[in-house]
Amino acid sequence: MRKIKAQLFMSLDGVVEAPDQWHFPYFDEDMGAAVDATLGRADTLLLGRRTYDSFAGAWPGREAAGGEDAPFAEVLGDARKIVVSNSRLDFTWRNSEQLVGDLTTAVAALKNEPATDTPVWISGSVSVVRQLVAAGLLDELNLLLHPIAVRNGMRLFEEDAPAIPLELLSAATFRTGVLNALRCFPSALAGLGRPHGTGRPGLTRQDPKETA
């Protein structure tokens, strides 16, 4: 089975909405390396429409320009990009396709594909992540927790919903104070070969209306 993993920028008070308004002062070499270790090695991306539009509006041009981030842009271009939207989409960025049918059914089928060394990565795409968490289809959550209280905006986890226990797999603090935490959902622990509760200590745009 393939793993489904998500990476999101999050504020100290849990906000994941509009990180373009508060995230960039914290972007440094450490965070660049963290993103490169995930999206920079992905062969399949699952994206909400708004995140996809943001990526498609920036990365093809950066690849063509041949600058220092061109290799990362090339990886994104070469990756299979599955876009979640309620509207019919036309694509100009290579290797892009629209998810057909129900999100959870399609993702369950994607998980049942033969396992590879690289998981399917979700970047931002808050509404997509929420739906997959609710359906028990998300294996790991990589949160880049920023040392700022945004005070306003959508949180990843909705209020008045059942508690969701998470297992800490690894954590590292960047020089900017950003905490890079990788957490696993209980449903994925069996694949790690250990029971819940035996933690192993370790070490760009997100929009709430992704599927519009």
Side-chain angles (χ1 to χ4, degrees), residues 1 4 8-9 13 20 31 36 39 72 78-79 81 86 97 100 113 126 131-132 144 167 173 180-181 187 189 199:
M1 289 184 71
I4 310 292
L8 296 99
F9 300 136
D13 54 344
D20 54 300
M31 187 174 292
D36 186 64
L39 303 186
F72 182 82
D78 288 343
K81 292 170 283 293
N86 294 325
E97 62 189 80
V100 178
E113 291 182 356
V126 179
Q131 291 176 72
L132 297 186
L144 293 159
E167 178 91 359
T173 304
N180 182 17
S187 60
L189 290 176

Side-chain angles (χ1 to χ4, degrees), residues 49 83-89 98-99 101 131 210-212:
R49 182 184 62 81
V83 186
V84 182
S85 177
N86 294 325
S87 304
R88 184 176 178 82
L89 303 176
Q98 186 165 356
L99 182 139
Q131 291 176 72
E210 285 288 346
T211 58

Side-chain angles (χ1 to χ4, degrees), residues 6 11 15 27 40 65 76 84 89 92 96 100 120 130 132 134-135 142 146 154-155 165 171-172 176 180 184 208 212:
S11 71
V15 174
F27 195 94
L76 295 183
V84 182
L89 303 176
T92 57
S96 300
V100 178
V120 176
R130 278 185 163 189
L132 297 186
N142 181 200
H146 293 55
M154 175 182 281
R155 271 72 173 171
T176 57
N180 182 17
C184 183

Side-chain angles (χ1 to χ4, degrees), residues 46-193:
L46 179 64
L47 302 170
R49 182 184 62 81
R50 291 176 184 251
T51 297
Y52 174 83
D53 285 348
S54 177
F55 278 27
W59 291 111
R62 294 180 185 182
E63 180 181 358
E68 61 180 4
D69 53 2
F72 182 82
E74 183 178 7
V75 170
L76 295 183
D78 288 343
R80 178 189 181 190
K81 292 170 283 293
I82 306 170
V83 186
V84 182
S85 177
N86 294 325
S87 304
R88 184 176 178 82
L89 303 176
D90 294 316
F91 300 109
T92 57
W93 197 12
R94 69 183 185 276
N95 300 320
S96 300
E97 62 189 80
Q98 186 165 356
L99 182 139
V100 178
D102 174 71
L103 172 64
T104 57
T105 300
V107 171
L110 190 61
K111 284 176 67 70
N112 282 324
E113 291 182 356
T116 68
D117 293 335
T118 55
V120 176
W121 275 104
I122 305 169
S123 178
S125 309
V126 179
S127 67
V128 174
V129 173
R130 278 185 163 189
Q131 291 176 72
L132 297 186
V133 169
L137 291 171
L138 191 66
D139 295 294
E140 292 181 16
L141 185 60
N142 181 200
L143 296 175
L144 293 159
L145 186 63
H146 293 55
I148 181 174
V150 176
R151 305 292 291 270
N152 293 294
M154 175 182 281
R155 271 72 173 171
L156 175 59
F157 299 110
E158 299 174 277
E159 296 183 5
D160 302 321
I164 303 175
L166 298 171
E167 178 91 359
L168 180 64
L169 298 179
S170 66
T173 304
F174 299 157
R175 286 166 290 183
T176 57
V178 171
L179 176 65
N180 182 17
L182 180 63
R183 297 184 178 274
C184 183
F185 289 86
S187 60
L189 290 176
L192 298 175

